[in-house]
Amino acid sequence: MDGVMRRAELGDFLRTRRERLAPDDVGLPAGQGARRRAKGLRREEVAALAGISLPWYTSLEQGKDIRVSEQVLESLARTLRLSRDERVHLFLLADQRMPARIAEEAYDDIDAHALKPVLDRLDPFPAYVMDRRMNVVAWNRPAELLFGGFDAAGDGGRERNLLWLMFTKEEFKTRFGHWEQMAKDLTARFRTYYAKHIEDPWYQETVAALAASSAEFADWWTEHSVLCLRNGPDVAAHPESGHVKMVAHAFILADREDAVMTVYTPAPTEAVPEGMRCIEAVPEPAR
């Protein structure tokens, strides 16, 4: 039943996108008077423009059980002048995984300045936003105090990458209790990012650089462990203010599936005022 409903929804979506286009929108003659009764483009026009047969396109619009390739979907998206969101929706209805190169085109750079006021409102809870490469792109002051800051230069542009920090920076490692389990979990989560964007050379280069810099990463990466995004009891510690047990809560931003916001709150066993004072007691770092 789910397949029938999905195909019917796909057919209806294609029909409505076809009917909203006028012939001159796609460079076709408009026709005259009663000779053109069809609303928008005709099926045969869409098929010809997309480079597919009319019977095949008709079957697709009628919700019949046929498989659609990535190339056909891309061609239909161009022909029907689909927007970014409509393009994503088309692949979803066709039950096709969005190709990495298309998914990456779907989003502009994350606007850190727009997110900063939201993160600041979460104070005194440490919070940050990371992108699809696990780079921290925006954070609030409690997060900077808890993790030792994200402004350091160097490391070939990896100074704000959580995985890189976790394996190569000794000071960063001290911020976590049970570092080994935390590092393994982060590696397993990164593996899912890697799989989604395996065609992006950045991931290959980063894995190679980490393997060369950390024997632990090189060993654990070969295990091929995977872990999807989920909340978990992440225990953090601050070397100056003492141990503060914090739980990480991860949220995918509604309008940015490639961005994740993580907010740390005191563990249930931690007294909230005491835990927050531990963080706030650390002086603001000099700029």
Side-chain angles (χ1 to χ4, degrees), residues 123-126 141-147 175 236-246 265-267 270-284:
D123 192 336
F125 300 114
R141 181 172 177 267
E144 187 167 1
L145 297 178
L146 187 63
F147 297 112
R175 309 282 168 154
H238 197 288
E240 295 184 38
S241 58
H243 290 270
V244 183
K245 294 184 179 180
M246 306 288 281
T265 61
E270 193 88 357
V272 175
E274 187 69 23
M276 293 301 98
R277 280 202 295 270
C278 285
I279 296 173
E280 292 178 325
V282 183
E284 185 170 5

Side-chain angles (χ1 to χ4, degrees), residues 166-167 176-189 220 227 233-234:
M166 183 68 78
F167 280 98
F176 300 92
H178 309 294
W179 173 84
E180 182 173 326
Q181 188 58 53
M182 286 283 296
K184 284 183 175 180
D185 287 351
L186 198 63
T187 301
R189 291 177 185 177
W220 297 336
L227 184 66
D234 295 343

Side-chain angles (χ1 to χ4, degrees), residues 13-88:
F13 178 66
L14 290 172
R15 177 185 56 79
T16 58
R17 300 309 93 177
R18 170 173 62 81
E19 291 179 349
R20 75 177 179 180
L21 288 175
D24 57 356
D25 291 333
V26 294
L28 294 175
Q32 297 180 359
R35 293 193 312 182
R36 187 173 186 95
R37 300 191 186 93
K39 181 181 179 181
L41 296 180
R42 299 186 179 99
R43 284 176 177 170
E44 57 265 31
E45 291 169 334
V46 172
L49 289 168
I52 57 181
S53 71
L54 175 59
W56 195 92
Y57 177 76
T58 300
S59 295
L60 186 63
E61 201 171 288
Q62 289 175 344
K64 294 184 179 178
D65 189 6
I66 55 177
R67 290 294 299 173
V68 191
S69 69
E70 171 191 322
Q71 291 74 20
V72 168
L73 290 174
E74 290 190 51
S75 182
L76 286 172
R78 289 192 298 270
T79 299
L80 296 172
R81 305 296 195 268
L82 299 188
S83 67
R84 180 189 69 184
D85 292 340
E86 289 170 338
R87 197 179 188 189
V88 173

Side-chain angles (χ1 to χ4, degrees), residues 159-191:
E159 63 275 5
R160 294 179 189 167
N161 184 272
L162 287 184
L163 197 66
W164 184 262
L165 291 171
M166 183 68 78
F167 280 98
T168 66
K169 300 300 178 183
E170 291 301 323
E171 182 184 355
F172 192 80
K173 293 180 181 181
T174 65
R175 309 282 168 154
F176 300 92
H178 309 294
W179 173 84
E180 182 173 326
Q181 188 58 53
M182 286 283 296
K184 284 183 175 180
D185 287 351
L186 198 63
T187 301
R189 291 177 185 177
F190 185 76
R191 175 70 76 169

Side-chain angles (χ1 to χ4, degrees), residues 84-99:
R84 180 189 69 184
D85 292 340
E86 289 170 338
R87 197 179 188 189
V88 173
H89 190 64
L90 175 66
F91 274 81
L92 177 65
L93 290 178
D95 202 18
Q96 285 272 14
R97 178 181 175 271
M98 177 72 69

Side-chain angles (χ1 to χ4, degrees), residues 69-271:
S69 69
E70 171 191 322
Q71 291 74 20
V72 168
L73 290 174
E74 290 190 51
S75 182
L76 286 172
R78 289 192 298 270
T79 299
L80 296 172
R81 305 296 195 268
L82 299 188
S83 67
R84 180 189 69 184
D85 292 340
E86 289 170 338
R87 197 179 188 189
V88 173
H89 190 64
L90 175 66
F91 274 81
L92 177 65
L93 290 178
D95 202 18
Q96 285 272 14
R97 178 181 175 271
M98 177 72 69
R101 65 180 182 279
I102 297 178
E104 289 163 16
E105 292 171 4
Y107 298 108
D108 300 323
D109 291 337
I110 297 172
D111 190 345
H113 294 292
L115 291 169
K116 190 66 166 60
V118 177
L119 297 172
D120 288 342
R121 293 289 290 179
L122 292 170
D123 192 336
F125 300 114
Y128 61 82
V129 174
M130 69 178 185
D131 64 14
R132 62 182 178 83
R133 293 176 171 176
M134 285 192 172
N135 294 321
V136 176
V137 296
W139 61 93
N140 60 10
R141 181 172 177 267
E144 187 167 1
L145 297 178
L146 187 63
F147 297 112
F150 295 107
D151 282 331
D155 293 331
R158 302 187 181 101
E159 63 275 5
R160 294 179 189 167
N161 184 272
L162 287 184
L163 197 66
W164 184 262
L165 291 171
M166 183 68 78
F167 280 98
T168 66
K169 300 300 178 183
E170 291 301 323
E171 182 184 355
F172 192 80
K173 293 180 181 181
T174 65
R175 309 282 168 154
F176 300 92
H178 309 294
W179 173 84
E180 182 173 326
Q181 188 58 53
M182 286 283 296
K184 284 183 175 180
D185 287 351
L186 198 63
T187 301
R189 291 177 185 177
F190 185 76
R191 175 70 76 169
T192 64
Y193 285 64
Y194 177 89
K196 289 179 181 178
H197 307 284
I198 200 167
E199 298 172 355
D200 185 343
W202 181 91
Y203 288 86
Q204 309 286 344
E205 295 166 2
T206 299
V207 167
L210 276 166
S213 302
S214 168
E216 293 97 336
F217 176 84
D219 185 35
W220 297 336
W221 185 253
T222 62
E223 295 177 2
H224 214 112
S225 299
V226 294
L227 184 66
C228 294
L229 181 67
R230 65 188 66 177
N231 296 338
D234 295 343
V235 183
H238 197 288
E240 295 184 38
S241 58
H243 290 270
V244 183
K245 294 184 179 180
M246 306 288 281
V247 178
H249 307 273
F251 307 89
I252 296 176
L253 301 192
D255 61 341
R256 293 299 303 252
E257 293 183 1
D258 64 335
V260 176
M261 179 174 68
T262 301
V263 182
Y264 281 83
T265 61
T269 56
E270 193 88 357

